[in-house]
Amino acid sequence: MKIIDAHLHFCQEPHFDHIAELAGHENTSEHLKEQYDRYNIIRGVVMGNRNLNEDGPAYPDYLSYCVGLDSTFFRLEDIEQQACLVERHLQRENCVGIKLYPGYNHFYIYDPVIDPLYQLAMQYHKPVAVHTGLTATSKALLKYSHPLVMDEAAVRYPEVQFVMCHTGNPWLADAIAVMEKNENVAADLSGLLEGKIADMPAFFEQKKGYIEHFKMWLEYLDQYDRLLYGTDWPLANIANYIEFVAHLIPEKHHDKVFFDNANRIYQLGL
């Protein structure tokens, strides 16, 4: 089975080195490529969180990326200038979308002030991925990352293809309601595990309630052509994550979720 990792981070920093170690990995391009080759992962899509002014980013050729506006440099008051920098990225072949971090940056994604970013997404026919659900730091605000904020954005910008990162976890019912109502919203299944799990059967038994709850809402939606596999590397062990998503998704939909949907939505041409 071919796989696309539709959500990862690629940062050579000590913090990410430690996270990778906890997941049983090394935070290096060489190790990531070795893991991708081992599990037939054809391409990864990096959720960018680097400075927009960089000439790069210099990602390996097996990675595409979404240009990210994270909290280290995103400023609503400078949105026009930042949109110009975003456009330079969107003109690159390996830039396949825009990534927003509303919980960390404290803004609502339907705020008209960020309309220039959506205009670019429509102009270049690129999706907009949005961090939804729980956040990694206590300074982030959950009211901005709740999946319901995507409802108004999807209605305001019906021509934009949105990707709800992390499926709004743990607000799964709300996330599924937004997806059912808005055909221009997809979701990736990243960020649901962390670290390395030694005994997956025991994990499935221990987390049976949560997993069945997740399965129930996915089955209720019954739109497996709008779900994307992603690991949130280096957060989780890759082998664990493949097994987890394969357990979560009915086998007849594996090709869609593991490969086809990301290939189509991010227009990877694979």
Side-chain angles (χ1 to χ4, degrees), residues 174-208:
D174 297 317
I176 295 302
V178 171
M179 292 182 68
E180 181 181 44
K181 176 178 173 289
N182 300 285
E183 293 183 357
N184 59 328
V185 177
D188 75 39
L189 299 167
S190 67
L192 305 176
L193 302 181
E194 61 180 280
K196 184 175 183 178
I197 299 168
D199 188 339
M200 287 297 286
F203 171 82
F204 289 143
E205 182 61 31
Q206 180 184 7
K207 302 295 183 180
K208 183 177 180 179

Side-chain angles (χ1 to χ4, degrees), residues 9 46 67 82 89 103 107 135 142 173 184 200 205 223 227 269:
H9 297 277
V46 176
V67 55
Q82 296 194 328
H89 285 268
F107 73 98
T135 57
L142 296 177
N184 59 328
M200 287 297 286
E205 182 61 31
Q223 294 284 331
L227 298 173

Side-chain angles (χ1 to χ4, degrees), residues 25-224:
H25 291 304
E26 299 174 12
N27 186 33
T28 66
S29 175
E30 294 77 14
H31 178 79
L32 181 59
K33 183 62 166 62
E34 184 273 327
Q35 291 292 300
Y36 274 19
D37 289 344
R38 176 179 298 183
Y39 297 105
N40 204 27
I41 302 176
I42 308 300
R43 182 70 58 85
V45 179
V46 176
M47 296 292 122
N49 49 2
R50 296 183 175 188
N51 194 307
L52 289 174
N53 290 308
E54 291 186 4
D55 293 333
Y59 294 123
D61 59 7
Y62 61 90
L63 298 177
S64 300
Y65 76 103
C66 289
V67 55
L69 294 97
D70 78 359
S71 56
T72 61
F73 53 85
F74 180 75
R75 296 179 303 277
L76 288 175
E77 61 271 21
D78 296 331
I79 195 65
E80 292 288 350
Q81 178 183 0
Q82 296 194 328
C84 291
L85 297 174
V86 167
E87 184 170 16
R88 294 180 189 175
H89 285 268
L90 294 176
Q91 292 169 346
R92 297 171 181 151
E93 184 177 357
N94 67 329
C95 182
V96 297
I98 298 171
K99 172 68 184 294
L100 301 178
Y101 297 84
Y104 299 98
N105 295 336
H106 302 176
F107 73 98
Y108 288 111
I109 63 170
Y110 52 76
D111 191 325
V113 74
I114 63 169
D115 184 70
L117 298 178
Y118 294 122
Q119 294 298 328
L120 287 173
M122 290 185 284
Q123 178 183 345
Y124 287 91
H125 306 288
K126 304 290 187 181
V128 176
V130 181
H131 176 97
T132 62
L134 291 176
T135 57
T137 67
S138 59
K139 292 183 179 180
L141 295 177
L142 296 177
K143 68 178 182 179
Y144 298 113
S145 65
H146 194 286
L148 282 179
V149 302
M150 190 164 284
D151 180 40
E152 188 164 344
V155 171
R156 285 178 60 92
Y157 309 100
E159 296 180 29
V160 173
Q161 171 67 67
F162 288 93
V163 178
M164 183 189 300
C165 300
H166 318 305
T167 324
N169 188 55
W171 294 294
L172 301 176
D174 297 317
I176 295 302
V178 171
M179 292 182 68
E180 181 181 44
K181 176 178 173 289
N182 300 285
E183 293 183 357
N184 59 328
V185 177
D188 75 39
L189 299 167
S190 67
L192 305 176
L193 302 181
E194 61 180 280
K196 184 175 183 178
I197 299 168
D199 188 339
M200 287 297 286
F203 171 82
F204 289 143
E205 182 61 31
Q206 180 184 7
K207 302 295 183 180
K208 183 177 180 179
Y210 169 75
I211 292 171
E212 291 304 315
H213 178 71
F214 209 139
K215 283 184 174 182
M216 176 192 71
W217 283 113
L218 293 180
E219 291 167 359
Y220 166 82
L221 178 65
D222 196 23
Q223 294 284 331
Y224 292 95

